Amino acid sequence: MKIYDELVARGLIAQVTDEEKIKDIINSGNATFYIGFDPTADSLHVGHFMALCLMKRLQMAGNKPVVLLGGGTGYIGDPSGRTDLRSMMSPETIQHNCACFKKQMEKFIEFGENKAIMVNNADWLLELNYIELLRDMGACFPVNNMLRAECYKQRLEKGLSFLEFNYMVMQSYDYYYLYQNYGCNMQFGGDDQWSNMLGGTELIRRKLGKDAYAMTITLLKNSEGNKMGKTAKGAVWLDPNKTTPFEFYQYWRNIGEADVLKCIRMLTFLPLEQIDAMDQWEGSQLNEAKEVLAYELTKLVHDEEKAQKAKTVYEVGSVRE
């Protein structure tokens, strides 16, 4: 099975700009693609993990990942999916968070010559001249189109600041810059990023007369339509000092029965044939499926030894109860 068909079978693809072209590019290993990560905290969380898994799958199929750290866009804050303004971070905090992200990402993505690369948009965004940017790029962003963008709609009722309104321009400029300097021909991201990503493909078309592509991945939601990856304590982090391997294991072991097979399909690297067979499981077998999910993800994020230890602790605790 080709990589695009596998992504479809795993339920990962939400929207694409040109399905046939994207399918051909990534199946042939000719994509130089990027995903952006704004450093909003000092650790990656479960939402980032899904994006890293996509990167890993595409890299294994011969495509070249470009990890974009948002050291520049982090100064503004992405309004997508937000009902309020993000807290402003100091330059020192942004740099620290970027360093934390970099260290964690190296566990998932293979960096090196002719492999993945990591760049930071602070290197070009912080040097931009405001007047020059307005003259060069402003005409490429019709305000009517921007106001219709899903990422802004829910904020218009409560108030959208001009600061956040610029985020689409910054993200679009990233794609334009990466296209010119790194040969990036594709951008991937969460489905809530669709409008921003279209801004990038349109900017490249208008300024360079070239085609660039975008694909969004399905947001990780439970059967009730709420984003997964949060507990009563807050986000489920990849940093073991913020969410211990046991807490991480426990989160996935306790997810709803309606969500377990979807998560196994989307997040693990188990063969699809094995997962398809699990589709027939019911009753007590779904508890076994939860164990598989929790173990596989804890092994990916931490390591096999910690996954086994978390499983043992959980089982002992369950017996005592």
Side-chain angles (χ1 to χ4, degrees):
M1 181 183 291
K2 296 284 189 178
I3 181 61
Y4 188 87
D5 295 323
E6 180 179 346
L7 297 180
V8 171
R10 290 184 180 274
L12 290 169
I13 298 178
Q15 300 183 79
V16 294
T17 52
D18 186 332
E19 184 173 38
E20 288 306 311
K21 191 65 178 178
I22 290 173
K23 185 176 183 179
D24 177 62
I25 292 172
I26 68 172
N27 281 347
S28 58
N30 290 322
T32 297
F33 68 95
Y34 91 94
I35 299 179
F37 299 83
D38 273 358
T40 52
D42 59 359
S43 172
L44 298 165
H45 54 61
V46 164
H48 296 127
F49 174 68
M50 190 167 178
L52 289 170
C53 285
L54 176 68
M55 277 194 149
K56 187 177 179 70
R57 293 184 204 281
L58 290 166
Q59 185 175 43
M60 290 167 63
N63 298 286
K64 183 178 180 180
V66 176
V67 174
L68 176 65
L69 296 176
T73 41
Y75 278 75
I76 297 176
D78 183 5
S80 301
R82 302 282 299 189
T83 58
D84 57 351
L85 181 69
R86 290 185 185 273
S87 299
M88 300 295 285
M89 297 182 291
S90 69
E92 293 76 18
T93 298
I94 291 171
Q95 291 172 13
H96 171 73
N97 292 351
C98 282
C100 293
F101 275 24
K102 182 178 180 181
K103 186 176 179 180
Q104 289 180 320
M105 286 173 175
E106 288 171 346
K107 291 180 62 178
F108 300 95
I109 309 300
E110 198 173 352
F111 293 95
E113 189 175 351
N114 297 321
K115 295 177 182 176
I117 61 172
M118 185 179 292
V119 295
N120 188 325
N121 62 18
D123 293 340
W124 55 87
L125 292 182
L126 298 187
E127 295 178 357
L128 288 175
N129 177 286
Y130 186 60
I131 297 299
E132 287 181 6
L133 180 69
L134 286 179
R135 284 179 59 87
D136 292 344
M137 306 295 166
C140 298
F141 292 90
V143 171
N144 287 348
N145 290 347
M146 294 176 73
L147 291 174
R148 285 194 293 268
E150 201 61 41
C151 59
Y152 293 144
K153 274 184 181 179
Q154 63 184 18
R155 294 299 307 279
L156 288 172
E157 297 177 5
K158 294 188 176 182
L160 176 73
S161 70
F162 183 68
L163 173 74
E164 296 170 292
F165 195 58
N166 279 269
Y167 192 89
M168 181 185 291
V169 179
M170 297 293 97
Q171 184 169 331
S172 299
Y173 188 88
D174 280 343
Y175 197 176
Y176 171 77
Y177 183 92
L178 292 172
Y179 184 96
Q180 287 191 293
N181 292 276
Y182 295 94
C184 270
N185 55 4
M186 207 166 293
Q187 180 184 181
F188 295 96
D191 200 37
D192 55 356
Q193 293 292 313
W194 181 242
S195 299
N196 291 336
M197 293 162 72
L198 290 181
T201 60
E202 182 65 7
L203 180 61
I204 291 168
R205 186 189 67 79
R206 288 180 177 233
K207 295 294 292 182
L208 304 175
K210 303 289 186 179
D211 291 326
Y213 307 94
M215 184 185 93
T216 61
I217 53 178
T218 309
L219 296 178
L220 191 61
K221 295 183 177 182
N222 61 22
S223 54
E224 297 172 348
N226 300 317
K227 272 189 178 182
M228 298 181 71
K230 290 188 179 293
T231 67
K233 290 183 176 181
V236 178
W237 303 100
L238 305 193
D239 184 342
N241 295 314
K242 294 171 76 73
T243 299
T244 67
F246 174 73
E247 289 171 332
F248 189 85
Y249 180 95
Q250 185 180 43
Y251 174 80
W252 296 108
R253 180 61 182 78
N254 292 335
I255 69 167
E257 292 183 354
D259 300 313
V260 59
L261 290 174
K262 175 185 71 177
C263 289
I264 289 176
R265 197 175 291 278
M266 295 174 76
L267 295 174
T268 77
F269 287 80
L270 294 175
L272 282 168
E273 295 79 8
Q274 181 180 345
I275 301 172
D276 289 341
M278 295 168 70
D279 275 335
Q280 308 305 316
W281 289 9
E282 55 186 24
S284 61
Q285 286 180 306
L286 290 176
N287 280 328
E288 185 180 339
K290 292 181 185 182
E291 290 175 4
V292 170
L293 173 66
Y295 182 83
E296 289 295 323
L297 295 190
T298 307
K299 182 174 70 172
L300 278 170
V301 171
H302 300 291
D303 60 42
E304 193 163 5
E305 182 181 348
K306 290 185 177 65
Q308 186 58 55
K309 183 178 180 181
K311 179 181 179 182
T312 302
V313 172
Y314 186 92
E315 289 172 348
V316 170
S318 298
V319 169
R320 286 177 178 171
E321 291 175 5

